[in-house]
Amino acid sequence: MSRPVAPAVPAAPAVVRFHGRLDEPLELTVAQLRARQAHRVEVSFDCLSEGEQNHCFEGPKLWDVVREARPQVDLRGRKQRLRYLLTVTGADGHCAVLSWAEIDPEFGGQQILLATSVDGTPLDSAGPQLVVPADHCGARYISAVTEIWVGATGRRPAPGASAR
Ligand SMILES: Nc1nc2c(c(=O)[nH]1)N[C@H]1C(S)=C(S)[C@@H](COP(=O)(O)O)O[C@H]1N2
Ligand SMILES: [Mo]
């Protein structure tokens, strides 16, 4: 007698939650990230335990997605933006900070991606992977990203302070 076959339950799609200084929190699946303009990068990075790794990632720029999440950042001037930062957290709690200026095109403008696939394998059930092509070390290539927080450090500028 054959054993009953368990019905195939598709893995629930992973969700990344944007929160912090935003008009309101935003949750996106990998499929929704894939609907944004995609970029493709071939990278190599060094892992302390595994040595050099080479991967091809595809996905939207973190900058484009963060802008869509409507951060409460005044983009008219420049100086006041420098206090802002993002934290990116994976499902296992691994977490790294990015400064706003790393991704802002008027400063570093780095091609940092939220990858929806790695080496052609879709990340729909695993969750997106952060891609930081300029990093030599792989530790900020955070996989299974669940959370992106936008915040600021330091005191707020005095009313009427220069917005250059
Ligand atoms: N969520 C999560 N992402 C992580 C890590 C981790 O511990 N947790 N380790 C990092 C380190 S140290 C490296 S070198 C890269 C390895 O990326 P790969 O597995 O895609 O080659 O993943 C990074 N991303
Ligand atoms: Mo690593």
Side-chain angles (χ1 to χ4, degrees), residues 45-47 53 55 57 90-92 94 129 138-139 141-143:
F45 56 77
D46 181 58
C47 173
Q53 308 287 308
H55 292 297
F57 292 101
D92 59 355
H94 180 50
Q129 183 161 358
Y141 282 74
I142 299 176
S143 51

Side-chain angles (χ1 to χ4, degrees), residues 45-50 137-139:
F45 56 77
D46 181 58
C47 173
L48 207 50
S49 52
E50 308 285 330
C137 167

Side-chain angles (χ1 to χ4, degrees), residues 133-148:
D135 278 11
H136 296 297
C137 167
R140 289 205 294 181
Y141 282 74
I142 299 176
S143 51
V145 172
T146 53
E147 224 183 287
I148 296 180

Side-chain angles (χ1 to χ4, degrees), residues 92-152:
D92 59 355
H94 180 50
C95 176
V97 168
L98 292 167
S99 74
W100 180 273
E102 282 178 276
I103 59 170
D104 187 324
E106 291 187 305
F107 292 95
Q110 286 192 44
Q111 282 266 81
I112 295 178
L113 306 183
L114 259 186
T116 57
S117 75
V118 53
D119 303 327
T121 302
L123 293 170
D124 293 69
S125 51
Q129 183 161 358
L130 187 72
V131 177
V132 191
D135 278 11
H136 296 297
C137 167
R140 289 205 294 181
Y141 282 74
I142 299 176
S143 51
V145 172
T146 53
E147 224 183 287
I148 296 180
W149 172 87
V150 179

Side-chain angles (χ1 to χ4, degrees), residues 28-106:
L28 294 173
T29 62
V30 171
Q32 287 169 321
L33 288 171
R34 195 174 289 116
R36 273 81 187 157
Q37 189 190 353
H39 302 262
R40 184 173 181 274
V41 286
E42 285 184 26
V43 297
S44 87
F45 56 77
D46 181 58
C47 173
L48 207 50
S49 52
E50 308 285 330
E52 188 182 296
Q53 308 287 308
N54 296 281
H55 292 297
C56 177
F57 292 101
E58 272 182 351
K61 276 200 217 177
L62 177 61
W63 173 253
D64 291 338
V65 186
V66 166
R67 287 294 307 278
E68 237 181 275
R70 295 200 281 144
Q72 292 167 344
V73 180
D74 186 350
L75 293 174
R76 288 169 298 179
R78 290 183 178 161
K79 284 161 65 179
Q80 67 274 30
R81 280 181 238 167
L82 300 179
R83 299 188 305 116
Y84 284 81
L85 61 140
L86 303 100
T87 67
V88 180
T89 309
D92 59 355
H94 180 50
C95 176
V97 168
L98 292 167
S99 74
W100 180 273
E102 282 178 276
I103 59 170
D104 187 324
E106 291 187 305

